[in-house]
Amino acid sequence: MFDKDQTWASRAACAGTEPDALFVRGAAQRQARQLCFTCPVRMECLADALSSNASFGVWGGLTERERRALVRRYPEVSDWPAWLRREDDELITELRAQRAPRIIARMRAAHSA
Ligand code: SF4
């Protein structure tokens, strides 16, 4: 489900930055996303990116690789905004932390358990 309300974008930490700053490739995404962890609308941004299958650049503090892994791990999720609001999932708690989430390591650990 794609949230049509895009008013959150005006509060984005990246609203005043160089447009290409978050559209870097590979390892540079890890550095670029530091801005996201100060962003008051990070979860809205992430939900939007997951809902619209944004494939390039940093969104919501996640790299392309991390978002791909998340979508692959949860193919049944159709409403990402609702999923990200859940309180009962450790991975979502990790995603909400104000630092780079260790989601790939967590997903690997959960898969091998
Ligand atoms: S989370 Fe990052 S990419 Fe998304 S709006 Fe905030 S600063 Fe921009």
Side-chain angles (χ1 to χ4, degrees):
M1 181 182 286
F2 185 70
D3 192 347
K4 290 187 181 71
D5 180 7
Q6 301 286 299
T7 53
W8 58 265
S10 64
R11 292 181 287 130
C14 61
T17 62
E18 167 66 35
D20 291 341
L22 293 164
F23 291 98
V24 290
R25 290 198 170 273
Q29 292 185 1
R30 294 187 169 278
Q31 180 61 38
R33 70 175 172 181
Q34 292 309 313
L35 179 64
C36 299
F37 303 116
T38 67
C39 181
V41 290
R42 185 161 64 89
M43 288 297 109
E44 289 87 340
C45 174
L46 179 57
D48 218 49
L50 294 169
S51 301
S52 62
N53 246 326
S55 58
F56 186 58
V58 168
W59 292 82
L62 296 197
T63 63
E64 295 167 12
R65 182 171 172 243
E66 289 168 335
R67 292 195 312 277
R68 271 198 307 272
L70 200 54
V71 169
R72 266 200 312 269
R73 171 70 181 79
Y74 295 97
E76 74 283 5
V77 175
S78 59
D79 187 344
W80 287 102
W83 187 80
L84 287 168
R85 283 194 294 271
R86 282 177 48 178
E87 301 285 339
D88 61 344
D89 189 296
E90 272 187 32
L91 186 62
I92 298 170
T93 302
E94 177 76 14
L95 286 167
R96 286 198 197 111
Q98 296 297 310
R99 56 175 162 69
R102 298 165 44 110
I103 66 161
I104 291 189
R106 275 186 181 267
M107 284 192 281
R108 277 197 191 124
H111 199 66
S112 62

